[in-house]
Amino acid sequence: MFHCPIQIIQRSQGKSAVAAAAYRSGEKLVNEWDGMTHDYTRKGGVVHTEIMLPAHAPPAFADRSTLWNSVEEIEKSSTAQLAREIEVALPVELSRAEQLALVRAFVKENFVDAGMCADFAIHDKGTGNPHAHIMLTIRPIREDGKWGAKCRKVYDLDSQGQRIPDGKGGWKSHREDTTDWNQRGNAEKWRAAWAAYTNRALEAAGRPERIDHRSYKRQGVDKIPTVHMGPAASQMERRGIVTDKGNINREIAADNKLLKEIKARITRLYNWSKEQSAQPQPQGRESIMDFLFQAKQDTAPTSQYAKVRALKADANLFNFLMENGISSMEQLYEKVSAMNSGYYDLRGKIVKAERRLSVLDERLEMWAQYQKYKPVRQKLDKIAPAKREQFEQRHSADLALFDAAVRYLDTLKASGEAITPKAWRAEVQRLTAEKEADYLTMRSMREDIKAVETLKKTADRLAKEGQPQRREEQER
C-alpha cells in the first residue's frame, strides 16, 4: 500500500522539533528554547531510530538532543518552520532488515546527499502497519558546519542589468530560497522516489507486489479506488470484526468485479459480431431467424430440465431480437456496438462519481475528526504551562488526530476550496443516487448480453458441426 504524507513542523501550530523528535524516537528530550521536557520513554512500538548526516555536518549532530536543540536555537521567529517530516508505510512483505535498508537508501540518496540532516524512526506495534517517520532539517548547513540562511535578498534588475529604484530611496528586491528543498514539485518527486525504491526492494526480495504513487485516474486505470483503512480498522477486520470502512471496500471490490465482468463479456461479443457481420452468411442463413430455425432443427434437448432451460434462453433471445428489430448480423453488430459504447459511457460516469465520492468522504471524515477533537485542543490551550506536558502525553493520540485534521482542512483552504460540510453531504446524496441508478442500468445489460451469448454459442456449435462436412466435401 502506498502511503507517503509530507508535513512541516512549525511553531505557529504550537509544535517544536524537539517534541516531535522525542515522540518519534520514544526518548526523553529537553527543549532548551522554551525549557519544556518531553518524555516519551513509555511509548511502545519504536523498533529502530537513526540519525544520518551529510559529510560537512558537525559530528555532534549525531546526538538527537544536540541536533534539534540547535535547530530550535537558530530559529528566532515564533512562526518558524523547524523541520519537514515524511511518513512512509513499509511493505509487510519485507523483513525488518530489508525495511531498514530500504529506508536508509531512500533517505541517503534523496535527502542526506542533498545536504539535509535526517532523523528517522521505524514504528511497528505488530498490528500490520509498520511505518517510518523521517524528520529533515529545513535550514542548510554551510561547509564550515554552521547553519546557513534559508533565503537571501536578490535585487530586481531592468533590461540593462541595473537595479530598479523603489521610489523610497532604496531598490526593488525579492527573496529567493538558498536551496531547492521547498520547491513545489519536490513532494511529487519524493513520493515517486519512494515508490521506485520500494518496488526495487520488493523485486530484490523476490516479491511480486508493487506500489504506485499515482492515483488510478493518473495511471489511466478505470477502476474504483478503495478507501484507506488505517491501522485501527485493519486490525479489527483481521480479528473478524466488521467495520464501516471494510464494508465500503468490500462493496467497491464487488463493483469493480461487476465492471470487469461486463467489460470482458461485451468485448467478446463486440469482436464476434463485428467479424460475423463482415462475412457472407451461408445460403438459407441470411436471416438470423432462419439461422436459429435451422439450429433448432439440428439439435433438440433430451432431458426435461434441458428443454425448460433451452426454452427460457430461446425466449430471451427472440424477445431481444424482436424488441431491437434485429434480423441480420449487420443489425446485430450495430446493436452490440451501441451496447459497447453505452457500457463505456456508464462505466465512465460510475468511476467519476466514485472518485468524487471518495474525495467527499475523506473531507467529511476529516471535518468530523476536527469537530470531535477540537474540545481537547481548546482544553489544552487553557491549561497552565506547568501542566501542559502531562496533558499532551495523556491526550497525544487525540491531539495528533486534531492536528492532522487541521492540516488537511488548511491545505484544502489554501487550494481555494471552501469548507462546506453541508454542501458536501448534499453532493454525496446526489452522487450516490445517480451512481446507484447507473449500476442498475449496468446490471440490466446482463440480460441483453446473455441473449447475444446464446446466439454466439449456437453459431459456434453450428460452425463446429459444419467442419467435418466441409472436410468430406473437400476430400471428394
Side-chain angles (χ1 to χ4, degrees):
M1 184 189 68
F2 183 85
H3 179 70
C4 184
I6 302 171
Q7 67 162 325
I8 297 293
I9 297 169
Q10 49 192 346
R11 284 198 185 123
S12 60
Q13 293 182 350
K15 303 291 185 181
S16 86
V18 171
Y23 179 79
R24 284 146 186 79
S25 64
E27 295 182 4
K28 179 179 180 180
L29 300 177
V30 177
N31 188 346
E32 296 168 5
W33 186 77
D34 60 10
M36 296 287 289
T37 298
H38 304 277
D39 187 356
Y40 292 100
T41 51
R42 293 184 181 179
K43 176 179 171 57
V46 181
V47 297
H48 181 86
T49 64
E50 187 172 329
I51 292 176
M52 300 177 70
L53 304 173
H56 60 284
F61 281 3
D63 175 75
R64 186 163 286 107
S65 177
T66 303
L67 170 62
W68 295 114
N69 270 301
S70 180
V71 168
E72 297 278 0
E73 182 183 359
I74 195 68
E75 302 295 348
K76 308 302 180 185
S77 171
S78 61
T79 60
Q81 294 186 345
L82 303 168
R84 179 177 285 105
E85 183 190 30
I86 300 177
E87 182 183 338
V88 292
L90 299 174
V92 294
E93 296 82 5
L94 299 181
S95 67
R96 179 74 71 229
E98 290 168 337
Q99 291 173 347
L100 181 55
L102 165 61
V103 176
R104 279 179 178 153
F106 174 66
V107 170
K108 179 184 182 300
E109 295 172 29
N110 288 276
F111 309 112
V112 177
D113 287 354
M116 303 179 213
C117 300
D119 180 4
F120 74 86
I122 294 179
H123 293 182
D124 189 355
K125 293 183 177 180
T127 57
N129 182 40
H131 58 278
H133 294 270
I134 305 164
M135 286 181 62
L136 304 164
T137 51
I138 293 177
R139 184 179 289 270
I141 300 176
R142 301 195 310 243
E143 288 300 321
D144 62 3
K146 298 186 181 299
W147 291 112
K150 289 181 179 176
C151 57
R152 56 175 172 261
K153 183 166 77 171
V154 178
Y155 290 104
D156 297 334
L157 304 178
D158 60 19
S159 59
Q160 305 300 317
Q162 301 299 314
R163 294 182 184 182
I164 304 171
D166 63 2
K168 301 176 184 178
W171 308 98
K172 289 185 178 181
S173 64
H174 63 276
R175 290 187 176 275
E176 285 185 357
D177 289 340
T178 56
T179 69
D180 62 357
W181 302 346
N182 289 323
Q183 288 183 358
R184 278 188 171 274
N186 280 344
E188 172 73 8
K189 182 178 76 174
W190 292 333
R191 287 164 61 83
W194 175 249
Y197 276 71
T198 301
N199 288 335
R200 282 203 295 270
L202 288 166
E203 184 178 8
R207 299 292 309 190
E209 297 85 358
R210 298 293 182 268
I211 64 172
D212 197 315
H213 69 290
R214 299 169 301 166
S215 64
Y216 283 147
K217 185 177 182 180
R218 288 177 59 197
Q219 293 177 54
V221 177
D222 275 345
K223 189 176 179 181
I224 304 163
T226 54
V227 300
H228 177 57
M229 291 282 287
S234 297
Q235 189 175 3
M236 290 172 70
E237 288 282 341
R238 277 194 295 272
R239 295 204 307 263
I241 302 172
V242 175
T243 64
D244 289 341
K245 287 187 176 181
N247 285 336
I248 290 171
N249 280 342
R250 278 183 282 275
E251 183 180 339
I252 289 172
D255 291 342
N256 277 327
K257 185 178 179 182
L258 171 69
L259 294 177
K260 186 177 179 180
E261 172 216 323
I262 293 181
K263 178 184 178 182
R265 291 171 68 184
I266 207 166
T267 299
R268 283 194 295 269
L269 295 177
Y270 173 79
N271 292 335
W272 172 78
S273 62
K274 183 178 181 180
E275 180 185 327
Q276 291 292 313
S277 68
Q279 294 177 359
Q281 298 301 311
Q283 189 174 2
R285 295 188 191 174
E286 293 86 359
S287 164
I288 290 182
M289 292 300 183
D290 293 338
F291 165 78
L292 291 173
F293 179 76
Q294 181 177 343
K296 292 298 291 178
Q297 294 292 101
D298 292 345
T299 144
T302 53
S303 70
Q304 187 65 27
Y305 172 77
K307 287 179 181 178
V308 172
R309 186 176 176 183
L311 187 62
K312 286 182 179 178
D314 290 344
N316 289 337
L317 176 54
F318 280 107
N319 286 337
F320 169 76
L321 295 172
M322 296 298 291
E323 287 173 3
N324 291 281
I326 298 171
S327 60
S328 66
M329 280 297 179
E330 289 82 2
Q331 291 171 329
L332 177 67
Y333 168 61
E334 289 173 4
K335 173 59 181 177
V336 176
S337 181
M339 288 166 59
N340 191 50
S341 297
Y343 162 77
Y344 278 100
D345 288 343
L346 268 177
R347 188 177 74 167
K349 285 178 63 181
I350 288 170
V351 171
K352 184 178 179 181
E354 289 283 13
R355 285 174 176 161
R356 179 59 180 168
L357 283 167
S358 178
V359 170
L360 292 170
D361 287 342
E362 183 181 34
R363 290 181 181 182
L364 287 168
E365 184 179 349
M366 296 308 287
W367 173 254
Q369 188 169 304
Y370 170 81
Q371 293 289 86
K372 181 178 180 180
Y373 298 109
K374 184 178 179 180
V376 182
R377 181 54 197 248
Q378 289 174 331
K379 190 171 182 179
L380 172 65
D381 293 338
K382 296 176 182 178
I383 288 178
K387 297 182 179 180
R388 283 176 65 89
E389 178 73 15
Q390 186 179 6
F391 184 89
E392 283 181 325
Q393 289 189 23
R394 195 163 60 248
H395 299 278
S396 60
D398 292 352
L399 292 169
L401 289 168
F402 174 77
D403 289 340
V406 169
R407 285 196 303 273
Y408 178 89
L409 296 172
D410 284 347
T411 302
L412 206 59
K413 285 189 285 187
S415 69
E417 288 277 355
I419 308 301
T420 54
K422 187 176 179 180
W424 294 341
R425 293 188 191 97
E427 189 177 357
V428 165
Q429 289 181 342
R430 177 179 62 79
L431 287 174
T432 300
E434 291 175 359
K435 180 194 72 171
E436 289 175 353
D438 288 336
Y439 268 121
L440 283 175
T441 304
M442 180 75 77
R443 290 186 177 94
S444 69
M445 292 178 72
R446 280 174 161 169
E447 293 306 312
D448 286 349
I449 289 172
K450 281 181 184 177
V452 183
E453 284 174 339
T454 300
L455 185 60
K456 181 179 181 299
K457 286 177 184 176
T458 304
D460 290 344
R461 178 178 56 76
L462 287 177
K464 220 178 254 186
E465 290 172 354
Q467 285 174 2
Q469 183 179 350
R470 284 194 295 272
R471 279 199 298 269
E472 287 176 10
E473 291 172 354
Q474 289 170 1
E475 288 171 359
R476 287 178 195 157

